[in-house]
Amino acid sequence: MTDISKVREMSDKELIDALQQAKQDLWSARFALSTRQLNDTSSIPQTRRTIARILTVQRERAGRVAASTGKGA
């Protein structure tokens, strides 16, 4: 799941689940790195980017809801 369009197609529930899974993956990768068991160190920045994409889409949706209800930031 690296493409932003795939993230935008997800429902709110799917985004929450994907964010939780990505955070768990990041924690596991960092733990494996600290114990020298991680072979693919590029997985850490990739996971961080995935988390950023998910959070971006969540914020976009929250902004749309606030704009449609008339509440500004």
Side-chain angles (χ1 to χ4, degrees):
M1 178 182 47
T2 58
D3 192 19
I4 190 73
S5 62
K6 291 179 184 176
V7 176
R8 285 195 172 114
E9 292 173 359
M10 300 173 98
S11 69
D12 290 340
K13 174 70 172 128
E14 289 173 330
L15 284 174
I16 292 169
D17 293 341
L19 180 61
Q20 185 178 15
Q21 182 62 44
K23 285 184 176 183
Q24 180 64 36
D25 291 345
L26 182 60
W27 184 87
S28 297
R30 285 181 174 159
F31 185 79
L33 180 66
S34 69
T35 59
R36 299 185 185 258
Q37 296 174 352
L38 184 65
N39 294 326
D40 183 18
T41 58
S42 68
S43 66
I44 292 176
Q46 288 173 352
T47 305
R48 290 179 63 212
R49 285 186 196 104
T50 299
I51 291 171
R53 286 183 186 105
I54 293 168
L55 290 174
T56 298
V57 171
Q58 286 180 332
R59 287 186 187 115
E60 286 174 350
R61 290 182 184 178
R64 283 190 210 131
V65 170
S68 67
T69 59
K71 296 179 182 177

